[in-house]
Amino acid sequence: MKIDWDAPIEMEDGIVLRADVFRPGTAGRYPVILSYGPYAKGLAFQEGYPSMWARLVRAAPEVLEGSSNQYQCWELVDPEKWVPDGYVCVRVDSRGAGRSPGKIDIWSPREARDFYHCIEWAAAQPWSNGKVGLNGISYFATNQWQVGALRPPHLAAMCVWEGFSDYYRELARHGGILSGFIDSWYERQVLRMQHGVGERGARSRVTGEPVAGPETLPAELLAQNTTDPGGEARRRRLVDDYYRERMVDFAKIEAPLLSAANWGGQGLHPRGNYEGYLAAGSRQKWLEVHGDTHFTHFYSNYGMRLQKRFFGHFLKGEDTGWPKQPRVSLNIRRPGERFTLRAENEWPLARTKWTRFYLHSDLALGPAEPVASKEVAYEAQGDGLTFSTPPIRDELEITGPVAAKLWLSSETADADVFLVLRVFDPAGKEVTFVGSNDPRTPVALGWLRASHRKLDARRSQPYRPWHSHDEEQPLAPGVPVELDVELWPTCIVVPPGHRLALTVRGKDYEYDGTDAGIANAPYPMKGVGPFTHADQRDRPPAIFGRRCTLHFAAGKMPYVLLPIIPGN
């Protein structure tokens, strides 16, 4: 394997980005797997993310086979497992990050243009066959949506592995409620790798060079070379031009697409993989959904084989059997982290039996509609209300988008609603799952700020309400309003004897209040990982910490709409 360190890629404004190029030792023209992002191409996975690396090795020990792992990098392919198969792997440090100078402006139009130029640069190199594929997790997946819509001429295939697609609804504000993720993530994973940290930061275990260098800049200059995404999200409560310029015109995407989602990714990515898959203009597109951590199956033999079959077909013209790949491939989830791979033709599944499970004022949950009018109150900062079915008699599969309709009032002019779809075993213990960013996640989560209840009728579906987030509609204290709440798509086969439940709360879900206690974890893991909603500047207790009331009345009975898949 030949390696070109810090290969220069000049942008049209004169900024020179830096890329590491891993290519076969034999001269020739090869297809390219390219990535572009801010996490420092020289930072070793094992050193930058030790707790994640330990979890990966336990979950997928095959990552240790056939590789020295010295070039492993967070959320990117291992060159030692791709270059021998006849690929060139190109890793670009994004503008302002790692060893690329400039100003960081995450998921901005500027970044998308840079990404476009990097694709075209790679296609024109003497070692390239002119076909460029994009691959990577999270940041390296999300920006694929953006650059794909720009249609680089040599973009031949996109593998969007767990990448959000809506900056407002999936990253910044869930249902209008500020997510605390941006602030913690930006400080922890981006600014630590900002170009100019230099000698104050980490060094490459291979080259010995500073991964965020080569120059070491003063703090005041570093501050000038970054934006304030956390502050922007906090200040910008409604969708405006800032958010719109970071959103995607999916219809313009035409490259072949593999969109890979994670059932347990509530809080950031999975919604984008479904929405992007459905809206992309690509004639050739596939959806795959799996479980486990955010990174396990990207590196596992299962995931790598899937990616190589996809890219082998579109970048190399090989007979990988990809034309026979099901358009939708789902790892159906059961308690105990048991999965069964199943082929489908569409999403949501055409045979779905959309079923209303009504909330009852006595905290029951089921398909029978209640008749009695009543009100049930809960404290917004308490445990909320949990509505539960009797023990399930027959196996029940729920696979697809979920939505709820509530009639709710508050003692104040607003309220934040947090919904949790849950499963309890026969002994009454909650069944949780290894999520992408937390080892104890529930079945599904949904959020909505009551003042953001306005719907976009053109884009809404009964199973996936679409809120416009373009105006705030305050509540009159004590007066109920109708709320349509989106819960992100999920999958669970509920075994006989288990109970299905829906919790209505005024704050984040927590499994039992304790931290999972994973060694070297960068944030507490209490059930939602880093995707918390606790910023009192966005949620002042005087407004969002008071009592709320669910209302039950004739023709206005609250329910959750479940995607039940009939058994064979």
Side-chain angles (χ1 to χ4, degrees):
M1 185 166 69
K2 294 183 178 179
I3 307 174
D4 303 321
W5 303 111
D6 283 345
I9 309 177
E10 186 171 357
M11 300 295 102
E12 85 284 2
D13 64 352
I15 286 286
V16 176
L17 306 184
R18 296 291 174 173
D20 290 343
V21 180
F22 303 81
R23 51 194 176 92
T26 303
R29 293 183 178 273
Y30 302 93
V32 179
I33 302 295
L34 188 142
S35 60
Y36 172 102
Y39 295 159
K41 58 185 174 55
L43 179 67
F45 190 150
Q46 302 91 322
E47 295 179 4
Y49 305 88
S51 68
M52 312 307 191
W53 178 253
R55 294 176 71 192
L56 173 60
V57 170
R58 285 196 300 271
E62 60 264 35
V63 300
L64 300 178
E65 301 169 2
S67 174
S68 71
N69 288 293
Q70 63 179 327
Y71 306 113
Q72 284 279 14
C73 195
W74 173 246
E75 299 184 334
L76 297 176
V77 300
D78 178 1
E80 290 186 82
K81 292 195 174 183
W82 285 77
V83 173
D85 282 356
Y87 292 95
V88 175
C89 295
V90 177
R91 297 171 170 172
V92 185
D93 276 339
S94 58
R95 182 180 294 239
R99 294 176 70 84
S100 294
K103 184 173 184 176
I104 302 175
D105 192 3
I106 59 172
W107 293 297
S108 64
R110 176 68 262 177
E111 275 205 345
R113 292 195 299 274
D114 286 349
F115 200 175
Y116 178 108
H117 292 309
C118 291
I119 292 168
E120 294 306 296
W121 172 87
Q125 299 309 299
W127 35 254
S128 172
N129 72 351
K131 292 186 176 182
V132 179
L134 308 179
N135 198 10
I137 314 175
S138 191
Y139 201 106
F140 306 102
T142 295
N143 58 16
Q144 291 184 45
W145 300 119
Q146 296 172 303
V147 76
L150 298 181
R151 296 180 178 176
H154 292 91
L155 175 58
M158 302 162 53
C159 178
V160 181
W161 200 279
E162 299 190 36
F164 76 82
S165 65
D166 188 315
Y167 194 101
Y168 182 93
R169 294 169 179 83
E170 297 158 19
L171 173 70
R173 289 183 167 270
H174 297 137
I177 307 168
L178 180 68
S179 171
F181 173 72
I182 297 182
D183 268 339
S184 64
W185 160 79
Y186 196 67
E187 176 72 27
R188 181 178 69 248
Q189 289 187 240
V190 179
L191 292 184
R192 194 161 58 102
M193 301 302 151
Q194 185 180 2
H195 180 80
V197 169
E199 298 291 342
R200 296 188 294 267
R203 288 182 175 272
S204 166
R205 66 192 306 180
V206 180
T207 68
E209 294 293 318
V211 300
E215 53 191 344
T216 303
L217 302 176
E220 57 269 24
L221 190 52
L222 289 177
Q224 293 173 20
N225 285 340
T226 184
T227 53
D228 179 21
E232 298 288 4
R234 187 167 54 252
R235 292 185 289 270
R236 298 174 184 273
R237 299 164 63 92
L238 299 172
V239 173
D240 60 10
D241 288 343
Y242 175 84
Y243 295 113
R244 280 189 284 268
E245 72 174 8
R246 286 164 170 76
M247 293 181 183
V248 177
D249 185 350
F250 293 101
K252 292 183 177 179
I253 297 174
E254 59 184 11
L257 167 67
L258 171 59
S259 179
N262 187 321
W263 299 122
Q266 306 105 324
L268 187 57
H269 293 308
R271 182 185 186 274
N273 281 106
Y274 302 109
E275 294 294 332
Y277 165 75
L278 291 170
S282 307
R283 290 187 302 105
Q284 301 179 89
K285 57 183 179 180
W286 290 264
L287 175 68
E288 184 274 346
V289 193
H290 51 269
D292 215 287
T293 71
H294 185 43
F295 38 81
T296 297
H297 284 306
F298 182 78
Y299 294 96
S300 73
N301 284 344
Y302 162 78
M304 188 170 62
R305 287 171 184 150
L306 185 73
Q307 296 161 40
K308 286 188 175 182
R309 287 177 55 233
F310 173 70
F311 286 117
H313 176 74
F314 286 107
L315 300 188
K316 300 168 78 174
E318 294 179 343
D319 181 11
T320 65
W322 189 260
K324 298 180 181 178
Q325 173 72 14
R327 288 298 173 140
V328 175
S329 182
L330 307 179
N331 286 276
I332 302 301
R333 183 171 64 172
R334 286 175 166 81
E337 302 303 323
R338 294 183 296 119
F339 296 89
T340 304
L341 186 62
R342 192 172 75 198
E344 297 288 352
N345 297 314
E346 70 288 307
W347 180 267
L349 307 188
R351 66 183 184 281
T352 302
K353 183 180 179 182
W354 300 101
T355 305
R356 294 180 180 184
F357 271 48
Y358 288 93
L359 284 60
H360 293 242
S361 59
D362 63 357
L363 303 186
L365 178 69
E369 185 173 1
V371 294
S373 297
K374 198 168 183 179
E375 300 176 358
V376 181
Y378 63 93
E379 295 295 335
Q381 293 305 304
D383 293 333
L385 304 170
T386 297
F387 302 83
S388 176
T389 67
I392 299 293
R393 292 184 178 180
D394 301 308
E395 191 173 76
L396 178 69
E397 180 183 338
I398 297 168
T399 298
V402 179
K405 186 178 285 289
L406 308 175
W407 283 266
L408 180 135
S409 65
S410 170
E411 291 181 339
T412 71
D414 213 341
D416 285 345
V417 176
F418 296 73
L419 297 186
V420 190
L421 191 63
R422 311 165 76 179
V423 168
F424 292 86
D425 70 14
K429 181 178 176 61
E430 184 173 5
V431 178
T432 58
F433 303 88
V434 175
S436 65
N437 296 83
D438 194 295
R440 302 178 300 179
T441 60
V443 176
L445 294 169
W447 312 262
L448 182 64
R449 176 156 288 174
S451 61
H452 286 237
R453 62 190 178 276
K454 178 184 174 183
L455 293 173
D456 182 334
R458 181 179 58 88
R459 303 190 68 173
S460 288
Q461 299 285 350
Y463 55 79
R464 200 268 286 117
W466 189 281
H467 298 90
S468 58
H469 299 294
D470 59 2
E471 66 172 305
E472 292 180 304
Q473 300 176 335
L475 281 62
V479 178
V481 294
E482 182 177 350
L483 304 179
D484 293 276
V485 186
E486 174 188 9
L487 287 82
W488 289 7
T490 191
C491 173
I492 179 62
V493 178
V494 185
H498 287 56
R499 297 172 184 263
L500 183 69
L502 182 76
T503 296
V504 182
R505 299 163 60 94
K507 63 177 183 178
D508 285 311
Y509 164 85
E510 291 185 0
Y511 173 64
D512 63 3
T514 63
D515 187 346
I518 293 177
N520 299 308
Y523 46 78
M525 297 185 181
K526 298 184 178 182
V528 296
F531 309 112
T532 57
H533 307 80
D535 191 325
Q536 293 192 3
R537 291 168 293 184
D538 183 69
R539 305 186 66 225
I543 297 175
F544 297 100
R546 302 288 293 278
R547 178 174 296 193
C548 298
T549 301
L550 279 179
H551 294 257
F552 303 76
K556 296 182 178 181
M557 292 296 178
Y559 63 83
V560 58
L561 184 66
L562 297 176
I564 294 177
I565 309 303
N568 293 329

